[in-house]
Amino acid sequence: MDLILDDAYFMRKALQEAEIAFQEGEVPIGAVISVQGRIIARAHNQTERLNDVTAHAEMLAITAASNFLGGKYLYDCTLYVTLEPCLMCAGALYWSQIPRIVYAAPDPQRGFSASGGKLHPKTHITAGVMEKEASELLKRFFIQRRNLN
């Protein structure tokens, strides 16, 4: 029997990364990059830990995947991320020439689409994969954050 890896499988892995971020007090966003059904990069937000506003899950995953592949272009790869990428991440994804991005929850305030951002013309977007789970994790994080302050 062949193992079929679908978008939900990879998004669950991205959600596991988001849970790690949550436990570390980071905004719970996780990302994985796959190629040919294999995860080659995993990351979660580390902006607080690294004291770096650019340490978004997507940026860290792009760097890890590029290092794994030995080049700056992410041909044949797919990014799975729990929240729609921001404008900064969309720019990096544009330059990486990644052909496919799958995200869970939209970000109506800071997502690339709300900011007028563009992705590479050959990049295909799939939105809403496990949106409920990703949204609930983000809501739980911000409720907890408000209650601490």
Side-chain angles (χ1 to χ4, degrees):
M1 175 152 110
D2 290 332
L3 177 63
I4 297 173
L5 302 178
D6 60 1
D7 288 345
Y9 170 83
F10 292 106
M11 191 59 74
R12 276 191 292 281
K13 299 299 183 184
L15 280 164
Q16 288 172 354
E17 289 295 318
E19 285 283 354
I20 294 168
F22 183 96
Q23 298 303 321
E24 294 177 353
E26 300 277 357
V27 176
I29 299 169
V32 298
I33 295 178
S34 71
V35 64
Q36 298 175 350
R38 177 179 174 203
I39 294 174
I40 61 168
R42 300 170 187 264
H44 55 274
N45 273 8
Q46 294 188 44
T47 60
E48 300 299 326
R49 178 178 181 211
L50 299 177
N51 198 30
D52 179 355
V53 297
T54 68
H56 290 196
E58 301 95 311
M59 300 294 278
L60 298 172
I62 290 167
T63 298
S66 295
N67 287 334
F68 179 87
L69 295 171
K72 62 185 177 182
Y73 298 116
L74 302 181
Y75 303 131
D76 302 320
C77 293
T78 299
L79 167 73
Y80 295 87
V81 63
T82 58
L83 185 67
E84 177 185 0
C86 70
L87 197 54
M88 173 187 67
C89 294
L93 291 161
Y94 178 98
W95 290 111
S96 77
Q97 297 186 30
I98 196 162
R100 185 161 184 254
I101 298 170
V102 180
Y103 67 84
D107 187 349
Q109 281 94 25
R110 294 186 180 94
F112 73 89
S113 56
S115 304
K118 302 268 190 251
L119 292 170
H120 195 275
K122 294 181 181 178
T123 300
H124 299 281
I125 306 292
T126 302
V129 175
M130 301 187 76
E131 178 179 347
K132 181 181 175 200
E133 294 85 344
S135 294
E136 286 175 358
L137 181 61
L138 284 160
K139 285 176 191 167
R140 198 174 69 195
F141 175 80
F142 286 111
I143 288 169
Q144 182 182 73
R145 193 91 173 296
R146 277 191 292 273
N147 290 337
L148 291 175
N149 293 329

